[in-house]
Amino acid sequence: MGVVLPLQDRPSDPEASLDALVGLVAGGMERVNAMILSRTGSDVTMIPEVANHLISSGGKRLRPILTLATASLAGYDLAKGREADGDVKLAASVEFMHTATLLHDDVVDESDMRRGKVAARIKWGNEASVLVGDFLLGQAFKMMVEVGSLRALDILSSAASVIAEGEVMQLTAARSTETTEDEYLAVIRAKTAELFAAACEVGPVIAERPKAEIAACRSYGMNLGIAFQLVDDALDYGGTSADLGKNVGDDFREGKITLPVVLSFRRGSDEERAFWRRTLERQEIEEPRDLDAAIAIMRRHRALEDTIERARHYGAMAKDALALFPASPMKQALLEAVDFCIARAR
Amino acid sequence: MGVVLPLQDRPSDPEASLDALVGLVAGGMERVNAMILSRTGSDVTMIPEVANHLISSGGKRLRPILTLATASLAGYDLAKGREADGDVKLAASVEFMHTATLLHDDVVDESDMRRGKVAARIKWGNEASVLVGDFLLGQAFKMMVEVGSLRALDILSSAASVIAEGEVMQLTAARSTETTEDEYLAVIRAKTAELFAAACEVGPVIAERPKAEIAACRSYGMNLGIAFQLVDDALDYGGTSADLGKNVGDDFREGKITLPVVLSFRRGSDEERAFWRRTLERQEIEEPRDLDAAIAIMRRHRALEDTIERARHYGAMAKDALALFPASPMKQALLEAVDFCIARAR
């Protein structure tokens, strides 16, 4: 018998990219993209038009990538054979759920831009955004049913409820500048991280892996999702329009309370608190002066840096969650994906 | 051995009511109502508020009643035992799907009234209507998953897609006064009748009945749904506000092309066609004069009477679909329900 040398997980790379992960799932993603294309088809021509406007506008497809990656990490291909397409169908379902959420969010937020393009609701009206979103949700569930795993269905249908709950929370309880960090975390767990968690959990579920591996993948997704959203929140006050594919200051204009605001408000002077109340709660905003002032206050209190710091904390938890898997190129790529999500903030 | 005298199906009753059907499923509907109440619960208080505003506002709950009734007709209780609650959970799911559709429709139609109450979107905003609708859809799928029938899941998730498709069809292709009766039928099959069909189909599915019985119940639901919608279309030009629980002339004001319009347009003079184009396509409406004129044109061409006549045709098909079931109080009650739906138009 030879000596088995365990591969060491390399330390996290500050220049991390998604390339390794994207490369490892490239074959599966081709099948996912074909599935997406075929399932947005409808004789009602507006449906593929609206759906493809958003789907083809070049999101990174991080969520379906995660479903394929965790299924592969859990040995789905080995267990079920190369022809099995449960992972592909669930990945496409996850992307449809995400797209439906984006379409409905645009109506809720009254957004004008999405992924660097004019929002669907501006081009086709609120009606089309609501209804095409509903169509995609229906198609997502149909695909899940085809996979035939009641457990995966339970995970993804629960996620659908939790996401909507999180969005309502953001509309109501989380509209106040008094929102605490914990309350804010509850919102982003529900509205963003839950879908990451579900996308990662269904992989080992359809590979019929033990409970501990399923919980590990769910935890990886949940913590990655939180880190991802926190970085997004910071970018909304620090990036440039071209990088973001949306307008900088969108959250500010929409009166969204995100972690940079929560931290700035708690750490600020009475005068600064009055500023946040006027701009975010009463929506009395003078541009560009007020956005510049908001960013200046955040810099003064290191609110953006500390938001990224928090993201690093959740990123570390995401990586630790995968510890029970043996070293492999896929594991390594999933660890790098965490670094990539955080490095976006630089 | 005694002589078995078969019960005769009684001829259809012009004074038909839903009472017999409601009475036969009363026990099950109590469980459905309790299920609905418990599944609209959320720590996010706006969710039960919005959901219950609509759910408690006294719709007839025809769709969940149909699920319980067809399950019972197919012997679900006998096959699965009194404690089985698959029928109850699917009935509650069907009502949630319907409620979600109503919430999203209000946003699409920009309605002010719904079931005789201020529409949720007026009271809580479009955002809440979209998101609480999404929450209810998620909860509906969760309940279906609990029932564990992949076939029922397939039927109801397909219905969700078809309904959204029908609504988009109504927004686009069916916006023109040139819409044909066939095109209009395709819209209402999808947006209304499909859910009736699915509600009736899942009953025998969970009772594991043969294909012919499942198809019969689906056909009953589909044809009843078409009849129901046609009568609604006629009522929108002929009823009174108090009877309808919505404003008379809503369809007219929203520029909806319904069968009374399709028939009037085809049968009308050039001048009348110009009237329909101005009011419905260009939305140049002077009230109350134009609504009165619309109703006068419809009466001249017997468009409302003939819409009801068409409804009777589909009602007859619904009744015939149940022919393969032996006579029973439940079958009789389902036949009377068809007469009731049509008799609303008087």
Side-chain angles (χ1 to χ4, degrees):
Chain A
M1 283 202 294
V3 176
V4 179
L5 284 176
L7 284 165
Q8 285 291 318
D9 294 335
R10 274 169 280 157
S12 71
D13 179 355
E15 296 302 313
S17 85
L18 269 186
D19 295 350
L21 189 61
V22 168
L24 286 170
V25 300
M29 280 306 289
E30 260 181 51
R31 293 165 75 197
V32 170
N33 291 335
M35 184 74 67
I36 285 175
L37 209 65
S38 81
R39 299 303 174 103
T40 49
S42 167
D43 294 339
V44 184
T45 50
M46 193 196 247
I47 289 178
E49 259 175 53
V50 175
N52 293 327
H53 170 77
L54 196 55
I55 289 174
S56 70
S57 66
K60 285 178 297 296
R61 306 224 168 150
L62 192 49
R63 294 160 190 80
I65 286 175
L66 290 172
T67 300
L68 293 183
T70 52
S72 165
L73 185 73
Y76 176 74
D77 286 351
L78 301 174
K80 303 285 170 177
R82 287 224 151 264
E83 291 71 37
D85 64 355
D87 55 344
V88 170
K89 283 184 172 161
L90 289 181
S93 300
V94 163
E95 182 69 3
F96 274 15
M97 283 177 67
H98 177 55
T99 308
T101 308
L102 294 183
L103 282 166
H104 287 183
D105 271 2
D106 284 344
V107 176
V108 169
D109 295 343
E110 303 183 349
S111 310
D112 298 339
M113 297 281 286
R114 168 68 69 187
R115 287 181 176 170
K117 276 192 176 181
V118 172
R121 70 170 207 101
I122 298 294
K123 210 162 163 187
W124 288 279
N126 276 342
E127 306 94 320
S129 290
V130 171
L131 297 175
V132 176
D134 289 351
F135 175 78
L136 292 177
L137 268 183
Q139 293 293 83
F141 280 103
K142 266 184 82 161
M143 277 188 280
M144 293 174 213
V145 172
E146 287 170 17
V147 177
S149 160
L150 283 169
R151 181 129 181 226
L153 271 160
D154 184 36
I155 291 164
L156 288 164
S157 57
S158 298
S161 285
V162 170
I163 293 165
E165 230 171 349
E167 306 255 6
V168 178
M169 234 189 286
Q170 187 161 47
L171 272 187
T172 51
R175 273 234 98 105
S176 153
T177 50
E178 312 272 340
T179 303
T180 66
E181 181 163 352
D182 280 336
E183 286 165 346
Y184 179 65
L185 275 171
V187 170
I188 67 171
R189 265 178 200 281
K191 75 163 199 151
T192 306
E194 179 71 24
L195 188 57
F196 277 80
C200 292
E201 188 177 2
V202 294
V205 161
I206 56 170
E208 296 172 27
R209 300 300 304 165
K211 213 168 138 181
E213 288 187 23
I214 294 171
C217 286
R218 177 173 175 81
S219 172
Y220 168 82
M222 177 64 80
N223 286 295
L224 175 62
I226 296 172
F228 183 88
Q229 182 63 59
L230 290 176
V231 169
D232 247 22
D233 291 348
L235 281 172
D236 205 84
Y237 287 96
T240 65
S241 193
D243 286 339
L244 278 174
K246 60 177 183 173
N247 310 316
V248 173
D250 270 353
D251 290 347
F252 183 70
R253 272 175 225 110
E254 288 163 16
K256 271 193 191 158
I257 310 296
T258 59
L259 191 60
V261 174
V262 171
L263 295 177
S264 302
F265 187 85
R266 310 238 136 210
R267 295 170 183 180
S269 63
D270 284 349
E271 198 189 340
E272 286 169 357
R273 288 203 190 100
F275 169 84
W276 294 117
R277 284 197 199 95
R278 167 173 67 81
T279 52
L280 297 179
E281 286 182 9
R282 297 204 300 279
Q283 297 263 289
E284 296 162 16
I285 296 179
E286 273 185 51
E287 290 229 56
R289 211 188 55 180
D290 281 339
L291 178 60
D292 293 341
I295 294 172
I297 296 175
M298 287 176 177
R299 299 224 176 270
R300 188 173 316 142
H301 296 295
R302 295 187 48 82
L304 295 170
E305 294 84 339
D306 284 351
T307 296
I308 304 298
E309 202 47 52
R310 303 286 208 272
R312 267 196 207 98
H313 161 80
Y314 291 101
M317 287 171 66
K319 291 189 194 174
D320 280 333
L322 296 186
L324 87 175
F325 289 97
S328 71
M330 187 58 88
K331 178 178 175 180
Q332 189 57 38
L334 284 166
L335 296 174
E336 265 176 45
V338 176
D339 292 327
F340 164 77
C341 283
I342 292 164
R344 291 185 306 149
R346 254 173 272 255
Chain B
M1 283 202 296
V3 177
V4 178
L5 284 174
L7 283 165
Q8 285 291 317
D9 293 333
R10 273 169 282 156
S12 72
D13 178 357
E15 296 302 313
S17 87
L18 270 187
D19 294 351
L21 189 60
V22 167
L24 286 169
V25 301
M29 280 306 288
E30 260 181 52
R31 294 165 73 197
V32 170
N33 291 336
M35 184 76 66
I36 285 174
L37 209 64
S38 81
R39 299 303 173 103
T40 49
S42 166
D43 293 340
V44 185
T45 49
M46 193 195 246
I47 290 178
E49 260 175 55
V50 175
N52 293 326
H53 171 78
L54 196 55
I55 289 173
S56 70
S57 65
K60 284 178 297 296
R61 306 225 168 146
L62 192 50
R63 295 159 190 80
I65 286 175
L66 289 171
T67 299
L68 294 183
T70 51
S72 166
L73 185 74
Y76 176 75
D77 286 351
L78 301 174
K80 303 285 168 175
R82 287 224 150 264
E83 290 71 37
D85 63 356
D87 55 344
V88 170
K89 282 184 172 160
L90 290 180
S93 300
V94 163
E95 182 69 2
F96 274 15
M97 285 177 67
H98 176 54
T99 308
T101 308
L102 293 183
L103 282 166
H104 287 183
D105 271 3
D106 284 345
V107 176
V108 168
D109 295 342
E110 303 183 348
S111 311
D112 297 338
M113 297 282 285
R114 168 68 69 187
R115 286 182 177 171
K117 277 192 176 181
V118 172
R121 70 171 207 99
I122 297 294
K123 210 163 162 187
W124 288 279
N126 277 342
E127 307 94 319
S129 290
V130 171
L131 297 175
V132 175
D134 289 351
F135 175 78
L136 292 178
L137 267 183
Q139 293 293 84
F141 280 103
K142 267 184 82 161
M143 277 189 280
M144 292 173 213
V145 172
E146 286 170 19
V147 176
S149 161
L150 283 169
R151 181 127 183 229
L153 270 160
D154 184 37
I155 291 164
L156 287 165
S157 56
S158 298
S161 286
V162 170
I163 293 165
E165 232 172 347
E167 305 255 7
V168 178
M169 234 190 285
Q170 186 161 48
L171 271 187
T172 51
R175 272 234 99 105
S176 151
T177 50
E178 311 273 342
T179 303
T180 65
E181 181 163 353
D182 280 337
E183 286 165 346
Y184 179 65
L185 275 171
V187 170
I188 66 171
R189 265 177 199 281
K191 76 163 196 148
T192 307
E194 180 70 24
L195 188 56
F196 277 80
C200 292
E201 187 177 3
V202 294
V205 161
I206 55 170
E208 296 171 28
R209 300 299 305 164
K211 213 168 138 181
E213 287 186 25
I214 293 171
C217 286
R218 177 173 175 83
S219 171
Y220 169 82
M222 178 63 80
N223 286 295
L224 175 61
I226 296 172
F228 183 89
Q229 182 63 58
L230 291 175
V231 168
D232 247 22
D233 292 348
L235 281 173
D236 205 85
Y237 288 96
T240 66
S241 194
D243 286 336
L244 278 175
K246 59 177 183 174
N247 311 316
V248 173
D250 270 354
D251 290 347
F252 183 69
R253 273 175 225 110
E254 290 164 15
K256 271 193 191 157
I257 310 295
T258 59
L259 190 59
V261 174
V262 171
L263 295 178
S264 301
F265 187 85
R266 309 239 136 209
R267 295 170 183 181
S269 63
D270 285 348
E271 197 189 339
E272 285 169 355
R273 289 204 189 99
F275 169 84
W276 294 117
R277 283 196 200 95
R278 167 173 66 80
T279 53
L280 297 179
E281 286 182 7
R282 296 205 301 278
Q283 297 265 288
E284 297 161 16
I285 297 180
E286 273 183 53
E287 290 229 59
R289 210 187 58 183
D290 281 339
L291 177 58
D292 293 342
I295 295 173
I297 296 174
M298 287 177 177
R299 299 223 175 270
R300 188 172 315 142
H301 297 293
R302 295 187 48 84
L304 295 171
E305 293 85 340
D306 284 351
T307 296
I308 303 299
E309 201 49 51
R310 303 286 208 272
R312 268 197 205 95
H313 161 79
Y314 292 101
M317 287 171 65
K319 291 189 193 175
D320 281 333
L322 295 187
L324 86 174
F325 289 98
S328 70
M330 187 60 87
K331 177 178 174 179
Q332 188 58 39
L334 283 165
L335 296 174
E336 265 177 45
V338 176
D339 292 328
F340 165 77
C341 283
I342 293 165
R344 292 186 306 149
R346 253 171 271 255

